[in-house]
Amino acid sequence: MKSVKEETLQGVKWSALEKASVLGIQFILGLIMARLLSPGDYGTVGMLSIFFAISQTFIDSGFANALIRKPDSSESDYCTAFYFNILVSIVCYSILFVIAPLVADFFHSDILCRILRIQAVSLIFNSLVSSQLARLKAALNFKALALRTFFVSVLSGVCGVILAYIGFGVWALVAQTVLSSLFNCIFIFAYCRWLPGASFSRSSFKYLWNYGSKLMASGLLNTFYTNLTPLIIGRHFTSGDLGYYSRGTSFASYPASIVKGILSSVTFPIFSKIQEDTDRLVRVYRKYICVTSLAIFFGCTLMAAIGKPLVLLLLTEKWESCVIYLQIFCFSAMFDHICSINLNLLQVTGRSDLFLRLEVIKKAIAITILFAAIPFGVIGICISKIIYTQIAMFINTHYTGKLFGLSYLTQVKDFSGFLALSILSCLPAYLFTFLDYPPVVALAFGFVSAPLIYWLMLRKNPYMKECLGIIKDKVSLLFSSKQG
């Protein structure tokens, strides 16, 4: 039987490959599309994000996490979740189809009616593979998930670039989304070779709903808040402003989302396996926080420091207005992993009621801050995200402090050193961008100086040594014929 460390490393290896494919393939193809399309095209699609995100939350209803957490999920459980997901997806699509004209009127953009009706088809495709994905995650089969992401990223990305190149404009983004969900569906069915039986169990549904419904409610609150910002910007400002905001925040999120994405898909199944051993759970949790903070704080700080030359070089001057949003948002995104891993602790203990209570409190505060920021423009909205993240982190640690002895101050002590050293190591790179050098020179200086300074300050830190050791081992394993 594999240890927690072995299972984590195995999951991290394939999750890292999955995220690398997203970063390497989607990032490059996305840059090409950003050069071919306008900020307004991205803003137009971004206006609809809240409708798709809320629909997807309803479709899943927390059933995936319920299946993963349950140690002995049966075939009946997976079949019940499968049929429920499909039913809800059809209902959601029907509602979106009907309200599409009203959405177009709200944003004063007639094209949104057709975009909403076509892009919403992706919801049905996604619902068809929700149970299979939960089965793969519960089995820690991150190899399949990594292969899936590579397959989907390449095909849908290339299709999007081709359509953008031949002049489809905003429809290239719509087609990319729909094709991505279609290719995802094809791959998962071909890989898993699982078809549901003709059964729908009331007892299975009762368990899934009792656990998942609270996660769904909290997920709806979080999804509504996250996607409320594009809705507000699209309504009160221009599609171009929304395009700049979307691209800037997307760049800012890359460092955090990569590391968090790698470990968050691993941590919940791992936490679930050791949920009965509280002391061990706390030790593993604190280790995850330190390792992720070491990487995420530096990545986000470096992104903020070199944001301007990076945008000018990769996206050209037409996207320069997104730089300030990128830099501000980096200091919000860098704390997300602490909030999400705290919430994972509540989920694995079965306290989805506390999870929901926290989301209600946090989102009431968040929405208040967001609306208060509107008069200060898009920059004010970005700053409001930083304020909210700090409040959310404090609230999240309240219950983990009570249940596990992991108070806010305890966790701050674990990660604050990495934050301070990240800022110090990236400061020279940021100051260099004010000198009159070409973007490529500023980037080269930042990519060399910042990591070198950071490593020199942390070279004796045990977490730095462990991270470098993991990277070295996994790179070797990737080229070893013994690894499948």
Side-chain angles (χ1 to χ4, degrees), residues 5 58 63 79 83 94 96 112 116 129-130 143 146 149 171-172 180 187 190 228 321 364 414 477:
K5 182 176 180 179
F58 270 117
F63 281 21
C79 291
Y83 290 119
S94 301
L96 293 178
L112 290 179
L116 182 56
V129 295
S130 181
K143 177 181 178 180
T149 301
W171 290 105
S180 177
F187 178 88
L228 181 61
S321 296
D414 284 342
L477 286 173

Side-chain angles (χ1 to χ4, degrees), residues 31 77 106 148 166 186 191 221 238 266 274 296 307 337 393:
L31 291 178
D77 294 330
F106 178 81
R148 178 278 308 256
I166 60 180
I186 292 172
Y191 186 94
L221 287 171
T238 67
V266 177
I274 60 174
I296 289 176
H337 69 289
M393 188 169 62

